[in-house]
């Protein structure tokens, strides 16, 4: 289903021969949309912009949807949609499924690599952001018919397991009895031990070899560490109300057998070369080598990500790869994508996108840390927000704060501001939803029935309907650009427009057809708010 704006745009494009680049009007007196296509065409043709605008306006057929088009200033075209067309669009949304989102015309198979914490370490704020953002992408893409395969690229392999296993043996611990916090404390003790004792460091190195060789005892302890860590991660996922499950686990270790295969493949085709004992690739235009295999014969993070791409585009058949990982890793992904392109693991038509994100800052504007100066765990953040609100509201506050400004930006974790039910916050949207639910509940108790929007006489009603008609294009734009803040801004505008409507137009206190039309407008708004909140991973509450 195409949105009104898309239909209008297509008809204008037919007569203009180019995308009119419709924009929402900057002022209400300019109507609902504007285009400056006549000015662009005039420049190209060396003609009078107003004359071109007049030609477009007289040849385009829009009288079924729009009021007569107006030409303004040097040649802008102002478009005002008819109330009847806005009502029709909102009624379709009410009658149809999926809040009028429809389905993408060319569905893709999408990998969303997100969350991806590390074994024997607690999830930190970076993993919090990744989990929230990745979950939103998964929801948005699935809602419009794409197939999403989440991949939780858990850090479950690497040299650190040598010291971890060795420390467990040294302390005579039962790894399966640890919880995640204890596993992390163990990590720190092992690290210290490594620094203090060359003898321990040597044993840890031997332990890495044993792990790689598949030594039974070593593998068993390694597995126990993974199990206790996953239990901790899952408890957090549950607390965060995200879609991730064990089915989405695809830890680094699943690529172990592929690493030498990738290295051999790259080397035999001359893509990778030996350089000071290491096997490396110099991606075109870069003089920093990507290390495939180090001089000790070890494969690292880069090689693992190449193997993962090969698997994702090959076996999993994905044609869009999305990585939700902190901005500091952008160079890593640039390199990995470049090598994967050269190697043909990423073919034309397959997109790979790194969605980096900024840091979470404390109220003092500095990197968020605890009073003791250590990095803040995700659970402690949830606790902190939970001090100010009920869990579903606290969660909404955190998720919305994470999603509502440009992802690249750092944001300040200010629990009190984030949980406020006024202003641009998650709880405000929940409140708007609950308020509409209350109106509809009251109507139901009073036995008032309603079906369609038949009257949009007031400007404030029209504004709500106009915003409703923009829901699907907003969601498609998020799917395309991976910018959730667009959906946040949209929902915030809708909630505000609704509030203005509700303050100015009696709903339950009006009568007859007017009342049922307004109730239908309430219901359509509620549907969109509920769906929109769902896409952000936020619970649409009915009572607050
Ligand atoms: N485990 C990594 C970290 O905590 C993130 C992994 C991201 N995904 C990937 N395919 N490299 O930094």
């Amino acid at each position: 289903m195409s949105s009104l704006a898309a239909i209008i745009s297509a008809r204008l494009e037919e007569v203009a021969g180019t995308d009119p680049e419709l924009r929402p009007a900057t002022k209400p007196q300019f109507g609902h949309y504007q285009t400056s296509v006549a000015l662009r065409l005039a420049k190209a043709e060396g003609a009078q912009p107003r004359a071109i605008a007049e030609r477009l306006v007289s040849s385009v057929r829009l009288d079924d949807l729009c009021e007569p088009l107006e030409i303004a200033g040097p040649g802008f075209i102002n478009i005002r949609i008819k109330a009847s067309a806005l009502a029709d669009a909102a009624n379709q949304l009410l009658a149809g499924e999926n809040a009028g989102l429809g389905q993408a015309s060319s569905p893709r198979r999408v990998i969303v690599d997100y969350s991806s914490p590390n074994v024997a370490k607690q999830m930190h704020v970076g993993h919090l952001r990744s989990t929230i953002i990745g979950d939103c992408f998964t929801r948005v893409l699935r809602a419009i018919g794409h197939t999403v395969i989440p991949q939780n690229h858990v850090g479950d392999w690497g040299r650190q397991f040598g010291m971890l296993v060795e420390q467990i043996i040294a302390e005579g611990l039962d790894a399966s009895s640890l919880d995640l916090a204890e596993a992390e404390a163990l990590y720190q003790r092992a690290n210290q031990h490594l620094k203090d004792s060359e003898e321990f460091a040597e044993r840890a190195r031997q332990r890495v070899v044993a792990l790689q060789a598949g030594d039974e005892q070593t593998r068993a302890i390694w597995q126990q560490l993974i199990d206790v860590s996953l239990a901790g991660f899952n408890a957090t996922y549950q607390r965060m109300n995200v879609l991730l499950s064990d089915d989405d686990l695809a830890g680094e270790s699943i690529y172990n057998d592929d690493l030498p295969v990738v290295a051999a493949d790259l080397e035999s085709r001359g893509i990778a070369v030996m350089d000071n004992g290491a096997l490396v690739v110099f991606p075109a235009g870069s003089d920093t080598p990507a290390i495939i295999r180090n001089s000790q014969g070890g494969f690292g993070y880069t090689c693992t990500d190449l193997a993962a791409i090969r698997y994702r585009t090959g076996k999993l058949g994905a044609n869009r790869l999305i990585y939700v990982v902190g901005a500091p890793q952008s160079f890593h992904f640039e390199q990995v994508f470049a090598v994967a392109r050269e190697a043909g693991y990423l073919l034309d038509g397959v997109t790979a996108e790194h969605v980096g994100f900024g840091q979470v800052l404390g109220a003092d504007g500095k990197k968020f840390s605890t009073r003791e100066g250590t990095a803040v765990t995700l659970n402690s953040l949830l606790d902190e927000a939970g001090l100010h609100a009920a869990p579903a509201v606290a969660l909404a506050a955190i998720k919305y704060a994470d999603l509502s400004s440009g992802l690249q930006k750092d944001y300040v974790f200010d629990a009190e501001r984030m949980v406020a039910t006024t202003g641009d916050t998650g709880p405000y949207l929940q409140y708007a939803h609950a308020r509409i639910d209350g109106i509809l509940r009251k109507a139901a108790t009073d036995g008032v029935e309603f079906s369609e929007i038949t009257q949009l006489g007031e400007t404030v009603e029209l504004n709500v309907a106009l915003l409703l008609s923009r829901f699907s294009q907003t969601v498609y734009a998020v799917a395309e650009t991976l910018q959730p803040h667009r959906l946040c801004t949209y929902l915030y505008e809708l909630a505000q427009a609704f509030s203005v409507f509700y303050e100015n137009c009696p709903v339950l206190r009006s009568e007859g057809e007017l009342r049922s039309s307004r109730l239908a407008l309430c219901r359509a708004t509620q549907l969109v708010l509920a769906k929109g909140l769902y896409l952000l991973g936020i619970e649409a509450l009915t009572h607050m």
Side-chain angles (χ1 to χ4, degrees):
M1 193 192 349
S2 301
S3 67
L4 278 172
I7 298 171
I8 295 168
S9 174
R11 295 211 201 145
L12 275 165
E13 178 159 355
E14 246 169 69
V15 295
T18 178
D19 181 352
E21 295 175 16
L22 230 53
R23 306 227 171 281
T26 49
K27 289 197 180 123
Q29 62 265 34
F30 298 154
H32 300 144
Y33 291 97
Q34 286 175 300
T35 167
S36 56
V37 67
L39 284 86
R40 261 189 290 134
L41 288 176
K43 215 179 238 162
E45 297 171 18
Q48 267 293 327
R50 275 195 82 97
I52 295 196
E54 271 155 32
R55 173 170 60 86
L56 295 178
V57 164
S58 62
S59 52
V60 70
R61 236 213 75 235
L62 280 173
D63 50 344
D64 53 335
L65 299 177
C66 303
E67 305 290 354
L69 304 189
E70 281 170 13
I71 300 168
F76 296 110
I77 300 174
N78 293 343
I79 301 157
R80 187 181 299 276
I81 301 174
K82 283 183 173 165
S84 57
L86 287 173
D88 285 348
N91 286 327
Q92 273 176 35
L93 192 155
L94 271 174
E97 285 163 23
N98 208 18
L101 286 180
Q103 299 282 297
S105 50
S106 26
R108 301 181 80 175
R109 265 177 96 75
V110 189
I111 300 287
V112 183
D113 179 318
Y114 72 105
S115 195
S116 309
N118 301 313
V119 165
K121 284 193 180 171
Q122 303 220 50
M123 294 172 71
H124 55 64
V125 282
H127 299 120
L128 167 89
R129 292 209 73 182
S130 173
T131 307
I132 290 171
I133 297 162
D135 197 58
C136 171
F137 292 163
T138 299
R139 289 165 187 263
V140 166
L141 291 162
R142 277 190 184 150
I144 57 173
H146 297 289
T147 301
V148 178
I149 310 171
Q151 294 280 279
N152 193 352
H153 193 84
V154 173
D156 63 357
W157 195 254
R159 303 191 59 79
Q160 70 275 23
F161 285 95
M163 66 167 194
L164 284 167
V165 171
E166 205 52 42
Q167 185 70 21
I168 284 168
I169 295 173
E171 294 185 16
L173 281 179
D174 173 6
S176 66
S177 71
L178 300 175
D179 66 20
L180 186 48
E182 289 163 347
E184 184 164 25
L186 172 91
Y187 196 109
Q188 272 141 20
R189 292 199 299 281
N191 228 344
Q192 194 57 47
H193 204 166
L194 202 72
K195 284 184 198 140
D196 295 346
S197 159
E198 183 43 47
E199 183 261 343
F200 178 78
E202 178 50 32
R203 275 194 282 140
R205 279 192 285 275
Q206 290 312 314
R207 198 48 79 176
V208 176
V209 177
L211 180 67
Q212 280 163 349
D215 171 66
E216 223 172 284
Q217 183 205 18
T218 309
R219 285 284 172 123
I221 298 176
W222 166 73
Q223 187 61 51
Q224 285 168 342
L225 281 171
I226 293 178
D227 292 343
V228 298
S229 302
L230 290 181
F233 302 154
N234 279 332
T236 303
Y237 295 148
Q238 207 135 38
R239 207 174 161 191
M240 291 177 70
N241 188 22
V242 290
L243 303 174
L244 270 183
S245 78
D246 283 349
D247 296 342
D248 310 317
L249 282 174
E252 295 182 9
S253 67
I254 68 169
Y255 304 106
N256 281 348
D257 293 345
D258 297 341
L259 302 178
V261 180
V262 166
D265 180 39
L266 296 176
E267 190 170 15
S268 69
R269 291 193 286 144
I271 295 167
V273 294
M274 291 303 292
D275 187 64
N276 288 320
L279 183 66
V280 305
V281 179
F282 287 92
S286 159
D287 39 37
T288 314
I291 298 173
I292 306 302
R293 190 182 60 223
N294 66 27
S295 53
Q296 277 116 59
F299 303 102
Y301 194 52
T302 297
C303 190
T304 306
D305 262 322
L306 287 168
I309 291 184
R310 201 166 145 270
Y311 169 75
R312 291 165 182 188
T313 56
K315 252 210 188 88
L316 297 181
N319 50 20
R320 184 178 189 187
L321 310 181
I322 298 170
Y323 293 79
V324 190
V325 187
Q329 291 192 34
S330 59
F331 181 71
H332 163 74
F333 286 107
E334 232 173 81
Q335 265 201 334
V336 166
F337 296 162
V339 175
R341 289 262 173 234
E342 272 183 55
Y345 303 157
L346 279 175
L347 296 173
D348 288 350
V350 179
T351 18
E353 296 152 274
H354 169 223
V355 181
F357 50 81
Q359 291 186 13
V360 182
L361 305 176
D364 54 1
K366 298 205 185 104
K367 194 177 164 166
F368 210 89
S369 58
T370 60
R371 230 166 276 147
E372 295 76 39
T374 54
V376 171
T377 65
L378 192 152
N379 278 316
S380 68
L381 272 193
L382 293 172
D383 290 341
E384 159 106 24
L387 293 177
H388 301 272
V393 176
L395 204 51
I398 294 183
K399 290 189 179 183
Y400 194 82
D402 243 308
L403 297 169
S404 59
S405 52
L407 296 180
Q408 315 289 329
K409 284 192 228 155
D410 296 342
Y411 81 84
V412 173
F413 191 92
D414 177 352
E416 236 166 295
R417 189 194 60 79
M418 283 158 46
V419 301
T421 48
T422 53
D424 189 8
T425 68
Y428 171 69
L429 296 182
Q430 286 179 311
Y431 169 76
H433 179 271
R435 172 148 91 154
I436 302 178
D437 203 75
I439 299 166
L440 297 173
R441 283 198 309 271
K442 179 80 170 67
T445 342
D446 294 351
V448 183
E449 290 187 12
F450 61 90
S451 59
E452 293 218 309
I453 299 163
T454 51
Q455 307 187 6
L456 290 173
E458 304 291 334
T459 305
V460 291
E461 289 177 297
L462 276 169
N463 285 344
V464 173
L466 176 67
L467 280 165
L468 291 176
S469 80
R470 288 182 186 159
F471 180 51
S472 75
Q473 76 205 54
T474 305
V475 172
Y476 280 80
V478 174
E480 170 86 20
T481 61
L482 303 177
Q483 295 174 331
H485 73 85
R486 292 170 177 242
L487 179 56
C488 296
T489 304
Y490 167 83
L491 293 172
Y492 182 51
E493 282 177 8
L494 176 63
Q496 281 180 310
F498 180 84
S499 166
V500 173
F501 152 69
Y502 191 62
E503 277 149 31
N504 289 283
C505 300
V507 177
L508 290 165
R509 279 175 291 107
S510 58
E511 274 169 26
E513 196 186 312
L514 184 61
R515 179 172 62 182
S516 61
S517 178
R518 285 182 176 167
L519 280 168
L521 187 63
C522 290
R523 176 83 187 120
T525 306
Q526 185 194 30
L527 278 178
V528 167
L529 280 177
K531 188 75 181 188
L533 285 169
Y534 172 82
L535 296 178
L536 298 177
I538 294 176
E539 201 179 331
L541 302 174
T542 53
H543 294 77
M544 257 177 103

